[in-house]
Amino acid sequence: MIIAVDGPTASGKGTIAKALAAHYGLPHLDTGLLYRAVGRQVELNLGNPDDAADALAACEFPTSLLDDPELRSEATGGLASRVSIHHGVRQALFARQRAFATQAGGAVLDGRDIGTVIAPEAQAKLFVTASVAARAKRRHLEMIASGRETQLDEIAADLAARDERDRNRKEAPLRAAVDAATLDTSELTRDAAIAAAIALVEARRG
């Protein structure tokens, strides 16, 4: 069984995807982490994330970079959104994601184009969303907990800009698959969101 979990930044899709993977005993891939690694590598290369050649060169990042805690920062998230608009980057990472999705036994993947591009044949597709205000508050609390200095209004502005960029890019824009179940987590606790997601997957399994 392939489970596709899509949605914008800080909507809760990663938490939900990990919980679904644990519940069903499936491997999980946070595809956004791959794009964050590319963005981070561009920065390490002193390149320009808006330059297609620089972004493509950064796709050759070492696997060890996936363990870099800086990948979870707001700055790297912004870089990931910028490199993800390049066709070459998306093509370079497509095969890696596709292979993970189609492995024997199935998998859970979360990102922005899993149900529409990476695994359109997924048996269960969720589109997890939440208001910008709710997402900014969550991210702000995460940053405070990790000891990072952040401003709530700056986070909200960054999320809104990232949403706009992701929804309007020419290739694989952020959108719900036509057969995806939408889950709004704005007013849900972590446990309630996970329970709702499992119920939606069960309904899709028939």
Coordinates of all heavy atoms in Angstrom, one line a residue, residues 10 130-140 152 155-157 159-160 163 186-187:
A10 N 4.5 23.0 7.6 CA 3.9 23.2 9.0 C 2.5 22.9 9.1 O 1.8 23.3 10.1 CB 4.3 24.5 9.6
A130 N -3.7 23.7 6.9 CA -4.0 24.4 8.1 C -3.9 25.9 7.7 O -3.2 26.2 6.7 CB -3.1 24.1 9.2
S131 N -4.5 26.8 8.5 CA -4.4 28.2 8.2 C -2.9 28.7 8.4 O -2.1 28.0 9.2 CB -5.3 29.0 9.2 OG -4.8 28.9 10.5
V132 N -2.6 29.8 7.8 CA -1.2 30.3 7.9 C -1.0 30.7 9.4 O 0.1 30.4 10.0 CB -1.0 31.6 7.1 CG1 0.3 32.3 7.4 CG2 -1.0 31.2 5.6
A133 N -2.0 31.2 10.1 CA -1.9 31.6 11.5 C -1.5 30.4 12.4 O -0.7 30.5 13.2 CB -3.1 32.3 12.0
A134 N -2.3 29.3 12.1 CA -2.0 28.1 12.9 C -0.7 27.5 12.7 O 0.1 27.1 13.6 CB -3.1 27.1 12.6
R135 N -0.3 27.5 11.4 CA 1.0 27.0 11.0 C 2.2 27.8 11.6 O 3.2 27.3 12.0 CB 1.1 26.8 9.5 CG 0.2 25.7 9.0 CD 0.5 25.5 7.5 NE -0.1 26.5 6.7 CZ 0.5 27.0 5.6 NH1 1.8 26.7 5.3 NH2 0.0 27.9 4.9
A136 N 2.0 29.1 11.5 CA 3.1 30.0 12.0 C 3.2 29.8 13.5 O 4.4 29.8 14.0 CB 2.7 31.5 11.7
K137 N 2.1 29.7 14.2 CA 2.2 29.5 15.7 C 2.9 28.2 16.0 O 3.8 28.2 16.9 CB 0.8 29.5 16.3 CG 0.8 29.3 17.8 CD -0.7 29.4 18.3 CE -0.7 29.2 19.8 NZ -2.1 29.3 20.4
R138 N 2.6 27.1 15.3 CA 3.3 25.9 15.5 C 4.8 26.0 15.3 O 5.6 25.5 16.1 CB 2.7 24.8 14.6 CG 1.3 24.4 14.9 CD 0.8 23.4 13.8 NE -0.6 23.2 14.0 CZ -1.4 22.6 13.1 NH1 -0.8 22.3 11.9 NH2 -2.7 22.4 13.3
R139 N 5.2 26.6 14.1 CA 6.6 26.7 13.8 C 7.3 27.6 14.8 O 8.4 27.3 15.1 CB 6.7 27.2 12.4 CG 8.1 27.3 11.8 CD 8.9 25.9 12.0 NE 8.2 24.8 11.4 CZ 8.4 24.4 10.1 NH1 9.2 25.1 9.3 NH2 7.8 23.3 9.7
H140 N 6.6 28.6 15.2 CA 7.2 29.5 16.2 C 7.6 28.8 17.5 O 8.7 28.9 18.1 CB 6.3 30.7 16.5 CG 6.8 31.8 17.4 ND1 6.2 32.2 18.5 CD2 8.0 32.5 17.3 CE1 6.9 33.2 19.1 NE2 8.0 33.4 18.3
L152 N 7.1 35.8 15.3 CA 5.9 35.1 14.8 C 5.5 35.8 13.5 O 5.1 35.0 12.5 CB 4.8 35.2 15.8 CG 3.5 34.5 15.5 CD1 3.7 33.0 15.2 CD2 2.4 34.8 16.6
I155 N 7.7 34.6 10.6 CA 7.4 33.2 10.2 C 6.1 33.2 9.3 O 6.1 32.5 8.3 CB 7.2 32.3 11.4 CG1 8.5 32.2 12.2 CG2 6.7 31.0 11.0 CD1 8.5 31.4 13.5
A156 N 5.1 33.9 9.8 CA 3.8 33.9 9.0 C 4.0 34.5 7.6 O 3.5 33.9 6.6 CB 2.8 34.8 9.7
A157 N 4.8 35.5 7.5 CA 5.1 36.1 6.2 C 5.9 35.2 5.3 O 5.6 35.0 4.1 CB 5.9 37.4 6.4
L159 N 5.9 31.8 5.5 CA 5.0 30.7 5.1 C 4.1 31.2 4.0 O 3.9 30.4 3.0 CB 4.2 30.3 6.3 CG 4.9 29.5 7.4 CD1 4.0 29.2 8.6 CD2 5.5 28.2 6.9
A160 N 3.5 32.4 4.1 CA 2.6 32.9 3.0 C 3.4 33.0 1.7 O 2.8 32.6 0.6 CB 2.1 34.2 3.4
D163 N 4.0 29.5 0.4 CA 2.8 28.9 -0.2 C 2.6 29.4 -1.6 O 2.2 28.7 -2.5 CB 1.6 29.3 0.7 CG 1.6 28.6 2.0 OD1 2.3 27.6 2.2 OD2 0.7 28.9 2.8
S186 N -6.0 22.8 11.5 CA -5.9 24.1 12.2 C -6.4 24.0 13.6 O -5.7 24.6 14.5 CB -6.8 25.2 11.4 OG -6.3 25.4 10.1
E187 N -7.5 23.3 13.9 CA -8.0 23.3 15.2 C -7.8 21.9 15.9 O -8.4 21.7 17.0 CB -9.5 23.6 15.2 CG -9.9 25.0 14.5 CD -9.3 26.1 15.3 OE1 -9.2 26.0 16.5 OE2 -8.9 27.2 14.7

